[in-house]
């Protein structure tokens, strides 16, 4: 009986051990299966994340390309309108002259709205960069004043611009953003002022520079309500809105990007006074060395104009020749390189978006050429917008960047700046 019980216990122990091994094997299989499911889920999640990231990067590229294309397609014809109006402005008088002023005023307003919409799109996408370069504040204020003067004259408004002598030194700032700020301030003052005076004063401050724009326009309280960023669906439907709802929020955020602030108060003229305070660094005064071969020859400056658009070439050609300079044209970067090989030039005006060879590629190749053209001054004149900016063009060898549409006086001023040579106004 005892032996039988022992045998039964032994068989039971072996069965229990076998069952335990089976359970362990099953547990191991279950664990491995769960691990494989989790591993596959992680891989699927990683692939999905990579695909979403790729789609976002591609969407960002498409958005940037779309903004660049939109800017180019809008500003290229606008450049022709502004150029033709400037040519007519010097040929006619009387009532027709007033109509030309209206064209210039409307063109300036349209260009400002295009810039505002493009900047607003960049703000919503969080894709605004700051590109600092030396900027002469008095020169920039004069450019803004000249662009907005036709709008002011229609309303019998006088623009008064004053600058401290200390601002004769260049400051390090983003030229494009600074121009947007000044344009928004002055245009808003002109629009809200029935008639009279709009004063623009720039001075050096402890923080850097301060720009005051005062007028007899709307009181400060009314305008400060418009400083919040508009909601994306604000413009859906047909609800009327004031363009200040676009320009003032962009102004506030652009000032913030530059590390500055806006102070609003009532002006002595009984209206609004906007004060923009910006932290900037003042550049050292560098010794001016004449650039280009014309500085060493007693002859008119020779300009190589490179643009694939016939109307743009016509307008720039008129501006250059009216300033007693000679102008030779090329329709793309490859033709520009051929012209440089065949003739002698002192300056290149270069468009960017062109067939056969783009302007940026042409600039790179020019900077790789043998003297004297390796160091020839190059001004980029473009309607191209997006990630590319003055810094990117300067990095490949450009001396200056002008955005279309261009004012003839601004183009001539820029030519004088980069060549350090007197040019007829």
């Amino acid at each position: 009986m005892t032996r039988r019980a022992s045998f039964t216990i032994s068989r039971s122990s072996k069965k229990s051990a076998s069952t335990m091994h089976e359970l362990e094997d099953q547990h191991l299989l279950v664990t491995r299966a769960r691990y494989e499911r989790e591993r596959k889920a992680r891989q699927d999640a990683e692939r999905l994340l990579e695909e979403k990231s790729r789609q976002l990067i591609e969407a960002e590229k498409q958005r940037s390309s779309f903004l660049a294309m939109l800017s180019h397609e809008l500003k290229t014809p606008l450049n022709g309108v502004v150029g033709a109006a400037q040519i007519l402005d010097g040929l006619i008088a009387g009532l027709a002259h007033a109509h030309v002023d209206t064209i210039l005023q409307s063109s300036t307003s349209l260009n400002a709205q295009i810039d505002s919409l493009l900047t607003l799109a960049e703000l919503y996408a969080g894709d605004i960069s700051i590109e600092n370069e030396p900027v002469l504040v008095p020169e920039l204020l004069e450019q803004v004043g000249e662009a907005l003067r036709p709008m002011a004259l229609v309303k019998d408004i006088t623009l008064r611009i004053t600058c401290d002598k200390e601002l004769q030194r260049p400051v390090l700032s983003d030229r494009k953003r600074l121009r947007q700020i000044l344009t928004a301030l002055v245009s808003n003052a002109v629009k809200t002022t029935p008639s009279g005076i709009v004063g623009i004063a720039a001075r050096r401050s402890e923080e850097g520079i301060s720009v005051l724009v005062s007028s007899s326009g709307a009181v400060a309280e009314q305008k400060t309500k418009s400083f919040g960023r508009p909601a994306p669906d604000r413009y859906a439907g047909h609800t009327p809105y004031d363009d200040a709802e676009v320009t003032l929020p962009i102004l506030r955020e652009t000032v913030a990007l530059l590390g500055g602030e806006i102070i609003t108060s009532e002006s002595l003229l009984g209206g609004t006074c906007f004060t923009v305070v910006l932290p900037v660094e003042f550049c050292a005064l560098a010794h001016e060395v004449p650039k280009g071969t014309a500085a060493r020859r007693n002859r008119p400056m020779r300009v190589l104009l490179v643009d694939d658009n016939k109307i743009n070439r016509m307008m720039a050609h008129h501006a250059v020749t009216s300033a007693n300079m000679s102008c030779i044209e090329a329709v793309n970067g490859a033709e520009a390189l051929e012209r440089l090989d065949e003739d002698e030039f002192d300056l290149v005006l270069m468009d960017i978006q062109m067939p056969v060879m783009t302007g940026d590629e042409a600039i790179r190749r020019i900077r790789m050429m043998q003297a004297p053209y390796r160091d020839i001054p190059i001004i980029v004149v473009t309607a191209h917008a997006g990630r590319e900016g003055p810094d990117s063009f300067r990095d490949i060898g450009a001396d200056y960047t002008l955005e279309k549409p261009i004012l003839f006086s601004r183009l001539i001023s820029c030519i004088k700046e980069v060549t350090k040579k007197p040019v007829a106004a």
Side-chain angles (χ1 to χ4, degrees):
M1 185 69 180
T2 305
R3 291 181 60 187
R4 181 177 294 180
S6 299
F7 178 72
T8 302
I9 293 171
S10 177
R11 287 181 61 186
S12 176
S13 298
K14 289 180 179 179
K15 187 175 181 180
S16 297
S18 177
T19 302
M20 287 295 294
H21 286 307
E22 289 177 2
L23 290 174
E24 288 176 356
D25 290 341
Q26 289 177 3
H27 178 71
L28 183 60
L29 289 174
V30 170
T31 302
R32 285 178 178 175
R34 185 171 62 232
Y35 171 78
E36 288 297 325
R37 287 196 303 270
E38 291 176 352
R39 186 176 66 84
K40 186 176 183 304
R42 284 196 302 270
Q43 289 177 341
D44 291 343
E46 289 173 358
R47 280 195 293 268
L48 180 61
L49 182 60
E50 289 175 359
E51 177 62 20
K52 291 295 183 183
S53 298
R54 187 193 64 78
Q55 291 176 359
L56 287 173
I57 292 172
E58 184 61 30
E60 172 61 20
K61 290 180 180 178
Q62 292 179 2
R63 187 194 67 83
S64 296
S65 298
F66 174 75
L67 286 177
M69 179 274 295
L70 182 65
S71 175
H72 186 271
E73 296 304 313
L74 290 174
K75 290 198 172 190
T76 295
L78 184 59
N79 188 59
V81 173
V82 173
Q86 290 177 93
I87 294 174
L88 288 174
D89 193 41
L91 300 176
I92 58 179
L95 182 60
H97 181 76
H99 291 327
V100 170
D101 284 343
T102 301
I103 294 174
L104 288 171
Q105 172 193 347
S106 300
S107 300
T108 300
S109 178
L110 178 58
N111 184 54
Q113 290 300 318
I114 292 172
D115 285 338
S116 294
L117 291 174
L118 292 173
T119 303
L120 191 61
E122 293 175 334
L123 284 171
Y124 281 123
D127 188 32
I128 285 191
S129 59
I130 300 301
E131 299 173 342
N132 289 329
E133 60 179 307
V135 179
L136 280 171
V137 175
E139 179 183 276
L140 193 58
L141 277 175
E142 287 297 333
Q143 292 170 1
V144 171
E146 185 174 356
L148 296 175
R149 195 159 279 116
M151 182 190 301
L153 290 175
V154 170
K155 301 179 69 175
D156 195 25
I157 293 174
T158 301
L159 298 181
R160 289 185 179 174
I161 302 175
T162 58
C163 282
D164 280 356
K165 291 183 179 180
E166 294 184 50
L167 292 182
Q168 297 302 319
R169 288 176 58 190
V171 300
L172 197 62
S173 186
D174 187 310
R175 182 186 301 274
K176 177 180 178 180
R177 305 301 174 194
L178 189 53
R179 181 183 293 110
Q180 283 182 328
I181 291 170
L182 296 175
T183 300
L185 284 173
V186 179
S187 64
N188 182 69
V190 171
K191 289 173 184 176
T192 57
T193 301
S195 62
I197 298 173
V198 170
I200 307 105
R203 66 189 183 195
R204 185 167 184 171
S205 63
E206 293 182 2
E207 297 82 1
I209 59 171
S210 297
V211 180
L212 294 80
V213 177
S214 58
S215 69
S216 55
V219 296
E221 285 185 89
Q222 296 173 338
K223 287 306 172 187
T224 52
K225 294 178 182 179
S226 300
F227 267 86
R229 182 189 290 193
D233 60 351
R234 168 64 183 87
Y235 311 110
H238 302 282
T239 307
Y241 64 93
D242 185 353
D243 60 0
E245 292 184 56
V246 176
T247 57
L248 293 183
I250 291 174
L251 169 64
R252 178 182 64 80
E253 299 208 25
T254 306
V255 169
L257 279 171
L258 297 182
E261 63 174 336
I262 302 177
I263 302 170
T264 312
S265 60
E266 291 192 16
S267 73
L268 297 176
L269 300 175
T272 308
C273 178
F274 289 110
T275 303
V276 174
V277 182
L278 296 172
V280 297
E281 294 181 15
F282 283 80
C283 303
L285 291 174
H287 178 66
E288 296 182 349
V289 179
K291 296 183 70 176
T293 56
R296 299 188 298 270
R297 290 174 170 80
N298 186 21
R299 60 163 175 76
M301 187 181 297
R302 292 176 59 83
V303 176
L304 177 57
L305 170 61
V306 190
D307 199 311
D308 63 314
N309 186 281
K310 182 179 180 181
I311 295 177
N312 286 342
R313 292 199 307 274
M314 185 189 309
M315 300 308 154
H317 189 282
H318 177 85
V320 168
T321 54
S322 296
N324 298 324
M325 293 179 280
S326 62
C327 183
I328 304 298
E329 300 177 10
V331 299
N332 56 61
E335 188 174 326
L337 296 179
E338 293 176 2
R339 293 283 186 271
L340 286 171
D341 280 337
E342 298 167 355
D343 211 337
E344 186 178 87
F345 295 96
D346 307 301
L347 173 76
V348 178
L349 298 179
M350 183 74 74
D351 186 29
I352 292 298
Q353 194 167 321
M354 297 181 290
V356 183
M357 182 187 291
T358 59
D360 50 346
E361 177 61 24
I363 294 173
R364 290 188 185 94
R365 297 197 182 192
I366 289 172
R367 292 312 184 207
M368 295 171 63
M369 296 173 68
Q370 298 298 318
Y373 294 125
R374 181 174 55 195
D375 298 320
I376 190 171
I378 300 176
I379 299 175
V380 168
V381 184
T382 182
H384 194 77
R387 291 186 180 276
E388 292 82 0
D391 276 355
S392 61
F393 296 134
R394 186 165 52 246
D395 288 344
I396 63 174
D399 293 276
Y400 202 93
T401 300
L402 284 176
E403 288 189 12
K404 298 174 184 174
I406 57 172
L407 295 175
F408 294 166
S409 58
R410 186 178 167 206
L411 174 60
I412 300 307
S413 174
C414 179
I415 291 174
K416 289 192 292 185
E417 175 65 23
V418 300
T419 62
K420 308 303 179 189
K421 179 178 174 64
V423 178

